Structure formats: C-alpha cells, structure tokens
Amino acid sequence: MTYIEKLQALRELMTAQGIDAYIITAADPHISEYLPAHYKAIPFACGFTGSAGTLVITHDFAGLWTDSRYFTQAETQLKGTGYELVKLKVPHTPEYISWLNEVLPKGAKVGFNFQLITVALAMELKNSLQQNGISVTDLDLISSIWIDRVGLPAEKAFLIDEAAAGLNISAKIVQVRAALKQNGAEYHFISSLDDIAWLFNLRGKDVDYNPVALSFALITPNEAKLFIDEQKLSGNDMEQLNQQGVSLLPYLEISNALTLLPNDAAVFIDPKRTCFGLYQLLPKTNEIIFGINPSTHLKSEKNETEISHIRKAMLHDGVALTKFFKWLEDYLGKEKISEWSAAEKLAALRAEQASFVGLSFNTIAGYNANGALPHYTVTPESDQEIIGDGLFLVDSGGLYRYGTTDITRVMPVGNYSQQQADDYTLVLKGLIEGSKLIFPAGTKGYQIDSICRKPLWDYTINFGHGTGHGIGFFLNVHEGPQTISPANIDIAFKPGMVNSIEPGIYRPGSHGVRLENLVLCIPHSSTEFGDFLTFETLTLCFIDTTIVNKSLLETYQVSWLNQYNQMVFDQLQPLLSVEEAEWLEEKCKAV
C-alpha cells in the first residue's frame, strides 16, 4: 500500500467506527524513545522517521506535528503522502489538542491507542476535549492495515554483575522501597525499560541503540516481580534473579497482575513513563501516587564503580575517534568519502575497541547544509560526498560494557568562511562556559542552559534544542531526570550525574556547528555561602583548533581549550601507535 492508500484505509475505518479524528503517537507501551520495529507506526503510516512527532487524522486533514529539529526532514519525507507538516511553536508540547478543540464540533469522537500514550498526556487530552463536549475512545486502527507487521523482539537478555554495576539487585530494591515509603506508597509499577534495566542489572537487545529488554516490574511490600519472556534469560541469570529475591513472570501477565492488586493499595507510578492503557487496569479504589520513578533519580547519580568504568569507556571511545579523524584527514581528496561511508568507518573503528556492544544512537554525519539539520540521518538518497570546502559535523556515540558515550565534533574541509569560523568559535565558547562552571548546590538545568547560550545570545544567535541531557551507565544515551535546557524543570544537579553539553549554531542551506562533551557533576567546595559543585569533562577527543577565531576567545577560554587538548593527548597517547600519537600531538598543540 502507498501512504495515500494507507491514509484512505484509516479514514474508512474511522468512518466505520464513528471516529472524527484519530491520533497516532510515537510510542510503545513502555513509552520508549527508541521503538522496536513492531511499534514504528508513524514511519509505517507516512514515512516520517524522526524520533519526535504525532499524526492527527480527520476526514479532511492529516498532519504531522513535530518540532524545529525535523522541519526540513519532515517536509521532504511527507511529500506525496497526504500528510502536511504542522510546525510546533513550543517543542514537546501537544499543540494539536488546541487544534482539535478548534476544528471538531461538540459531540465529536477522538480515537487513539491507550497503550501508546502516557498517563499524563492522555489525561490532558481527555480533560481538554471533554470540556468542549468531545469524547475519547481507546482504538487501535493501525493493526488492521499493517498486514506485514513484525512481531515483538525476542533477543537474548543478560545480567551485569555487581562488579560492573557497583550495587547488587537486592540493594537497589531496598533503595527503591525506601523512596516509596517516603512517598507514602507500598506498591510501585514500572514500565520504563531503562529503569527496569538499572533496577535488575538487566541488559538486552530488544530496542535499537538502547541495551534494554522488553519487561515490566511490580514492586510490592514483600516481592519484586519481573515480567519478561523467560526465554530471553539463561538458566544462570534466572537463578541469580531468584537468589536476589526477584520473582519471574511472563511478560504478558502484567495486565492480570495489575487488576489483582489489593483494593486499598497505595500505588506509585510515573505518569510520564507509564501508558494510559495499563494505568486504567489498576483497581479504582487504589490510591495512586504520581511522581518520577525512584529508580530514575537513583540511576542518575552514578556510583564510584560506574564512574570508574565510564572513564574506561571514554578511553576506548577516544582511541576510536582519534583513528577516525586521522583516517579522514589522510584520505579526504584521495578516495571518495561520503557521509555514509564516514559513519560506517567510525562504527567499524568503535567495534574494534574492547567491550564494545553497539552504537548508542544512529550517527549524525552531516556535511555543509546537512550539518544544519540537528537530527540529520543520512540515507542513500541524501548521502553527500565530503569534497570541496566546508564543515563536516559528526555526532556519534558508542555503547560499551563500561559505559555509554555521546560526542559531537566538527572538522573543517578545504577552505572555510569567516562566518563558519566565527560560528565554530562561539559554539566553543558556549561549551567552555558550561564545562568550567562553578555553581551552588540546588542549581537547575535551565540556569546552566542560559550560561551556555550567553556567548551566542551576545551575537543574537540561538539554537532550537536543549543544551544537554543525562547519559546512562551502559544504558540509554538520553537519560533523566536532569537536563540542561530552557524548560523550567525542577530537578537540581547532583554529584554523580553525567550530562552532555552541546550548544550549536545552524544556518539552513549552509552549515551547522555543534560541539559536545560529556561531563560529570562533582563537588567543588564548601564555603560560608554553602556547597558548590562543578563539572569534570569526561570525553577524550581533541577539539580542532585550526578553525578557531582566537580574537573571539577570552584568555581563560584559550587556557581551558589548551588544557583540555593536552589532557586528551596525555590520556590517549599510551594507547596509540607512534604515528597516531604524533598526529594527535600536532592536533593538540596549544593555540
């Protein structure tokens, strides 16, 4: 079926069901960022492959609501599909709710799959529409037309031991129960896969780029239940889980388990990481306590064992990146190198490193205009040869048994313009300001965000994405609860949190610049004015200085840059060949 035919089929089903509007979300029952192929309904329906978007279909309009990261991509991918791009004014907000209230008459009915929407969003949607006399209903129309839909993944999962995680499963369960008690809850339902992975020291391959396994968890006063297909686990792993006080049940048994909770149970759930369909199965007499999953807070503060392992991962990653940029410099202009082949080469070099598991996300390799697309994904159709003059942006990361990495660098190719040099330098200033920041305990991400943006704001420049996100320990490359962004999120930075700092400048049709390092939040000092924190940079890859406009840098910023590049050389040099070390030494020379 073509996209037009699929849209027509959905509208026919809407008519048959008496539905005036149908919503398709980018989600699975675990509210994952990266979806198993079974749940990639938006690419199936319209061809859009971005990670953030919502389809809304009425009988005379079909639109994709997405944010500025994907405007160019969406306009290209939606051509000829019957869908139109609707540009979000505020990222990550359901602006289509207001649109539905405007275009639908009183008495209209809106359908969506309750299994594929968060509790928080479903309640907002339901309450807003009902105020205008519009009802909602649980409806899965996609399954009726997705004839060749793949099944749920059945990849093998495995446990990581205490020596790697720094804490055993039973100790983590004790921590979660203590947090539940503080919140007045006895029971806790968890559906977010990375929270479950952390709690049970479980890793898997069910989702691209995220080392997680499809599962649910239910913590009760006396039991810790893990709902997972037992065929995913080895006999030894199942025995270890049992020894740690974990009961194993079939994955699909979660629905029945929720309905059987005691009628007077106080149940803690995360409304932004739990689907509405499963939430509705809880007994109506239960006291529901909403909040961020305790495990989300706990896993964000890395323990000393995790931190020591993350440092090893950074060394492995730094070696691969050094080899990659040397290869790129050596062979550009001598053989055909494109965005695609460069990304493949980097992946191959990472795969040579000890403890490598896979990529932590799909590599963004954008030359010139493609680099101006913050979430660009190279395809055979968009693949561009890296030749001539300009800037090549590479945003990439690896999953290692020792940790997760995420880094962005920009390499000048041939000649570059003054504007490109200035943009590069301003972005570098933003990275430096965030990296060297000293701040009082209790500081939130939105406060740090403004400090990173100020060097760009001084030139009336801004960027449309957050400045940084949390990073998991051998887990998801995007992790909460903390973030560095303009959003007024009431989460303070704490020691042990690992975060990215990645300011950028994007000039559509011309070029993009983004520089990204990972940093560890650490104590700085205690004074009469309170406790202060700072960041330690973890990422080990040189920052190219050939394109820097030194006149835009303050003396202390030049000093930071030189010290950082010297640190990179000192730590990586013992792991490189003589030729590679000599090349890196030249790249790390002080400016």
Side-chain angles (χ1 to χ4, degrees), residues 324-325 327-328 332 336-350 363-366 378 383-384 386 392-394 396:
F324 170 72
F325 283 113
W327 166 82
L328 203 57
L332 270 179
K336 182 178 180 179
I337 298 177
S338 69
E339 296 166 335
W340 185 285
S341 64
E344 290 291 303
K345 179 68 174 181
L346 179 52
L349 290 169
R350 276 198 169 101
T363 299
I364 300 168
V378 61
D383 190 22
Q384 186 174 343
I386 305 168
F392 181 41
L393 183 152
V394 183
S396 65

Side-chain angles (χ1 to χ4, degrees), residues 162-366:
E162 184 179 348
L167 207 60
N168 64 31
I169 300 167
S170 58
K172 290 182 176 182
I173 293 171
V174 168
Q175 289 183 335
V176 169
R177 284 202 176 107
L180 293 177
K181 186 176 182 180
Q182 289 179 344
N183 284 280
E186 304 166 289
Y187 294 79
H188 180 29
F189 170 49
I190 316 172
S191 60
S192 44
L193 299 181
D194 58 330
D195 284 303
I196 295 168
W198 177 85
L199 181 58
F200 296 100
N201 286 340
L202 176 71
R203 300 296 187 269
K205 299 179 181 179
D206 283 346
V207 179
D208 289 343
Y209 310 119
N210 292 344
V212 295
L214 293 188
S215 51
F216 295 100
L218 188 59
I219 307 300
T220 76
N222 303 309
E223 291 183 284
K225 300 179 180 181
L226 176 62
F227 297 80
I228 188 171
D229 181 353
E230 288 190 5
Q231 294 182 352
K232 293 178 181 291
L233 297 168
S234 69
N236 183 57
D237 283 345
M238 288 191 284
E239 183 178 346
Q240 285 191 50
L241 287 164
N242 289 329
Q243 290 175 353
Q244 294 284 320
V246 179
S247 301
L248 295 173
L249 296 96
Y251 175 69
L252 295 178
E253 279 294 307
I254 185 61
S255 298
N256 189 51
L258 293 176
T259 63
L260 294 177
L261 286 181
N263 289 332
D264 59 349
V267 185
F268 188 100
I269 68 166
D270 189 330
K272 293 184 178 180
R273 307 202 75 190
T274 305
C275 76
F276 190 59
L278 290 176
Y279 160 76
Q280 285 202 310
L281 297 178
L282 293 169
K284 302 305 179 187
T285 53
N286 281 171
E287 178 188 358
I288 306 301
I289 300 169
F290 288 138
I292 296 173
N293 286 331
S295 48
T296 299
H297 289 286
L298 292 167
K299 69 178 166 58
S300 72
E301 299 174 43
K302 309 298 183 283
N303 60 51
E304 289 301 321
T305 299
E306 292 171 319
I307 291 169
S308 67
H309 289 327
I310 290 169
R311 297 188 199 283
K312 293 180 185 178
M314 294 299 169
L315 285 168
H316 293 311
D317 216 49
V319 169
L321 288 157
T322 300
K323 291 175 180 288
F324 170 72
F325 283 113
K326 182 180 185 301
W327 166 82
L328 203 57
E329 186 174 280
D330 288 346
Y331 289 95
L332 270 179
K334 297 176 183 176
E335 63 179 58
K336 182 178 180 179
I337 298 177
S338 69
E339 296 166 335
W340 185 285
S341 64
E344 290 291 303
K345 179 68 174 181
L346 179 52
L349 290 169
R350 276 198 169 101
E352 293 176 359
Q353 301 303 308
S355 77
F356 179 78
V357 174
L359 300 181
S360 58
F361 58 96
N362 194 16
T363 299
I364 300 168

